[in-house]
Amino acid sequence: MTHKVGILGGTFDPPHLAHLRMAEEAKKQLGLEKILFLPNKIPPHKHISGMASSDERVEMLQQMIEGIDSFEIDTRELMRAGKSYTYDTMRDMISEQPDTDFYFIIGGDMVEYLPKWYHIDDLVKMVTFVGVNRPLYQPEVPYDVVKIDMPETTISSTEIRNDIEHAEAFLPEKVWSYIKEHQLYGKK
């Protein structure tokens, strides 16, 4: 029997309600058995934020998905030396779980960057890319991307970090409590 597993990667610095909604909608609309949250160590397309440690980001993810049995965290990219390339991660996951079809979930803003991804021509044969709609992004790329809809949101981790004092409405309650308790992102 073939399994259907979604993967949502990112820095999750911090994880917010849009991440949670993306995972929920992908699971529901595509009939996925589970979603793996895949925090990056050093994403190739971004500068390192330096705001929260890997352990803090994992803890916030755990707080966000607590009680949701079909959501899990995979920390393999945090353990890897160097940059985190999706191609390397997916090659490993496929060899570990050859009876699984993987659905790699990305925001609409990331779809336009697909042509620049490391080994993208091989990667599109390994996974099904799932693009979640995002306001102002309707990119066309030369790859098949399954599109799913969710209510429009303009939440971004960068905006949350930049205005943490007004971010409570965009964060799960437990993540907000963790940020305040550990004084993340604000003045220390």
Side-chain angles (χ1 to χ4, degrees):
M1 180 177 146
T2 302
H3 301 281
K4 293 174 69 175
V5 173
I7 298 172
L8 182 58
T11 54
F12 302 110
D13 192 15
H16 52 67
L17 291 172
H19 293 132
L20 192 59
R21 177 60 66 88
M22 285 172 70
E24 290 168 342
E25 290 298 326
K27 183 177 181 300
K28 180 174 74 176
Q29 292 181 39
L30 300 173
L32 305 176
E33 295 171 41
K34 69 179 172 180
I35 301 288
L36 296 177
F37 288 82
L38 186 68
N40 307 129
K41 183 174 186 179
I42 305 171
H45 62 278
K46 287 188 177 182
H47 297 292
I48 303 168
S49 69
M51 301 306 275
S53 70
S54 295
D55 289 343
E56 289 167 332
R57 292 183 293 127
V58 169
E59 181 58 35
M60 286 186 284
L61 274 172
Q62 288 172 337
Q63 296 290 329
M64 182 173 81
I65 67 171
E66 185 178 4
I68 305 173
D69 293 339
S70 58
F71 287 3
E72 299 174 13
I73 301 169
D74 185 313
T75 59
R76 75 181 66 220
E77 288 195 351
L78 296 175
M79 306 306 158
R80 183 182 295 137
K83 292 187 176 188
S84 300
Y85 289 107
T86 302
Y87 172 79
D88 297 331
T89 300
M90 294 316 307
R91 189 186 60 221
D92 293 346
M93 284 186 170
I94 289 168
S95 70
E96 294 164 10
Q97 302 173 56
D99 61 342
T100 300
D101 290 336
F102 290 101
Y103 293 77
F104 204 91
I105 305 159
I106 57 177
D109 57 333
M110 286 305 302
V111 172
E112 68 184 326
Y113 291 104
L114 279 180
K116 298 176 184 172
W117 283 33
Y118 181 71
H119 282 285
I120 186 60
D121 292 329
D122 296 319
L123 191 55
V124 295
K125 296 172 189 165
M126 299 163 68
V127 302
T128 299
F129 277 99
V130 178
V132 178
N133 70 350
R134 188 151 178 191
L136 309 177
Y137 290 98
Q138 298 297 324
E140 293 299 322
V141 292
Y143 305 106
D144 289 331
V145 177
V146 174
K147 293 184 177 151
I148 63 170
D149 292 320
M150 72 176 229
E152 287 190 8
T153 179
T154 57
I155 300 171
S156 83
S157 294
T158 301
E159 291 169 353
I160 289 171
R161 288 192 308 270
N162 289 341
D163 191 12
I164 195 64
E165 293 306 316
H166 299 98
E168 182 176 6
F170 305 112
L171 298 163
E173 185 177 329
K174 289 182 179 182
V175 172
W176 174 250
S177 295
Y178 184 89
I179 288 170
K180 297 313 286 178
E181 178 183 341
H182 296 276
Q183 299 179 333
L184 299 179
Y185 310 116
K187 295 177 180 143
K188 295 186 178 188

